[in-house]
Amino acid sequence: MKGTLKMANNIIGIIKFSSNKKLDNGSTPFEDLKKGNIFFNDPSLFSKNAKLGPGQKAVEGSVKSTIIKDWTNHQIVNNNSFETPKGFIFNKSSKIIQIVSTFKSSPFLGYKNNINLNSLSKYYNANLSNEYDLFLSPVDYYQNAYYDKSKKKLITDYLIKNAQISYGKDSTCKISCFATIKRKDIINGHLKKQYIDDISEIAEDRNWVYINFSDFLKELRKINFKGNHGIVTYYQDIYPLTQSEISFNPNKIFFFKPNKYQNQHEYRLVIGGPNKSYKNPYGKILHLNWKSKIQYSNIEKNNLESLSELRF
């Protein structure tokens, strides 16, 4: 993923949106962006920040389905079988998976009769960040009951209906998001109306900067960009990554999102990683010398109107 891209030949350019509201120092994020200052956010910001509009909100790294290749892990309590979380601890020197763990502590212990599934989910999300660099935690379950003839008992499987992949408290990961423009998005030298409609929700009232994709890649090469970058792949039902793929490059989780986000046409830069051994050399700002290569919105006009005037 680093420096290599599927479908790269189809990408004409990328757009980044930014606020034109003044900061305490008198400048605006939009003015900083035009100068080449690319701002990175914590992945959790997008779901927790109340100031963001609905188009910007997402649970980054989220998993829609329990059908996750080679992730299944069960724990038996009484006559119930639960799909439990899976934790990862990464080797701090070689960056390879060190432990794929059964859990050091378990909320199942001590339960005699009924198990409150809602309490379990809260437990996972509140506690696992203190033990693991990365973990898959249940958000809710569905039941699958069957009769076990050998045990002569009714067994209930509790399978993960929705889950979330999260980094732990020592994560250094930051992300910066763009929208790609591909050849199919252009007609007669202008953006198609459908494309503008697609990204209107993430554009909201923000201004934008556009740069040709080839120029953008040149700028990343000039600074020898220390991170991952690539297009986001949108999936329908089955989460695409296996445990081994994530263990090889845990930042891959930020390049796969559910289909409901596909109108974002997203391209990402990702720096840092799941623990402090994954260095972030840029802090929150990456500087690219792109001032002479960009086009940007006219602040006197509606942002979407400006996009319709963008020429290729």
Side-chain angles (χ1 to χ4, degrees), residues 186-208:
I186 299 169
I187 185 169
N188 297 327
H190 291 277
L191 286 173
K192 291 180 179 177
K193 182 181 182 301
Q194 179 61 57
Y195 180 87
I196 295 176
D197 290 343
D198 280 354
I199 63 172
S200 62
E201 195 175 55
I202 60 169
E204 296 174 331
D205 61 348
R206 297 184 294 164
N207 295 96
W208 53 265

Side-chain angles (χ1 to χ4, degrees), residues 14 24 40 70 75 77 89 94 96 103 108-109 128 139 154-155 175 180 183 186 210 244 249 261-262 276 288 292 303:
I14 58 173
D24 292 339
F40 284 81
D70 80 353
Q75 187 161 351
V77 180
I89 297 175
S94 64
I96 60 173
F103 289 87
F108 294 106
L109 300 177
L128 297 187
V139 175
L154 184 68
I155 304 294
I175 63 178
T180 63
R183 289 188 176 91
I186 299 169
Y210 169 84
S244 58
N249 182 358
Y261 297 111
Q262 64 183 333
K276 292 178 180 178
L288 299 180
S292 63
N303 293 322

Side-chain angles (χ1 to χ4, degrees), residues 1 167 173 228 246 249-255 270-274:
M1 190 173 300
Y167 274 172
C173 187
N228 298 104
I246 291 175
N249 182 358
N251 281 355
K252 269 193 169 186
I253 65 173
F254 296 110
F255 293 92
V270 181
I271 53 179

Side-chain angles (χ1 to χ4, degrees), residues 6-167:
K6 292 180 180 179
M7 300 165 61
N9 291 335
N10 293 321
I11 301 176
I12 300 296
I14 58 173
I15 299 174
K16 186 156 183 69
F17 295 95
S18 187
S19 170
N20 198 38
K21 295 178 181 178
K22 283 192 175 182
L23 302 171
D24 292 339
N25 62 8
S27 68
T28 69
F30 177 52
E31 290 298 324
D32 287 341
L33 181 63
K34 288 196 294 183
K35 295 174 185 176
N37 295 324
I38 311 299
F39 185 76
F40 284 81
N41 280 310
D42 187 295
S44 64
L45 169 83
F46 297 92
S47 62
K48 295 179 181 178
N49 190 335
K51 295 180 180 179
L52 296 181
Q56 295 172 261
K57 285 185 178 292
V59 181
E60 303 300 347
S62 62
V63 179
K64 182 180 178 182
S65 170
T66 187
I67 309 172
I68 303 171
K69 295 173 284 188
D70 80 353
W71 281 66
T72 304
N73 190 28
H74 285 83
Q75 187 161 351
I76 306 296
V77 180
N78 298 328
N79 294 322
N80 300 316
S81 169
F82 288 84
E83 249 183 355
T84 58
K86 184 153 283 192
F88 298 77
I89 297 175
F90 290 86
N91 186 292
K92 297 186 184 299
S93 59
S94 64
K95 297 185 181 180
I96 60 173
I97 197 75
Q98 185 182 47
I99 301 173
V100 179
S101 178
T102 54
F103 289 87
K104 301 173 187 174
S105 57
S106 174
F108 294 106
L109 300 177
Y111 280 96
K112 300 292 184 182
N113 299 306
N114 294 328
I115 295 177
N116 187 314
L117 298 181
N118 186 49
S119 295
L120 287 181
S121 295
K122 288 181 178 179
Y123 173 91
Y124 296 142
N125 291 306
N127 292 281
L128 297 187
S129 63
N130 296 320
E131 298 183 16
Y132 300 96
D133 293 332
L134 185 148
F135 52 92
L136 172 69
S137 59
V139 175
D140 58 86
Y141 294 86
Y142 66 87
Q143 299 179 26
N144 178 36
Y146 66 95
Y147 185 76
D148 189 321
K149 292 182 180 179
S150 62
K151 296 180 180 179
K152 297 182 179 180
K153 290 181 179 179
L154 184 68
I155 304 294
T156 301
D157 278 339
Y158 290 89
L159 305 175
I160 299 172
K161 182 179 179 181
N162 293 292
Q164 182 177 329
I165 297 178
S166 302
Y167 274 172

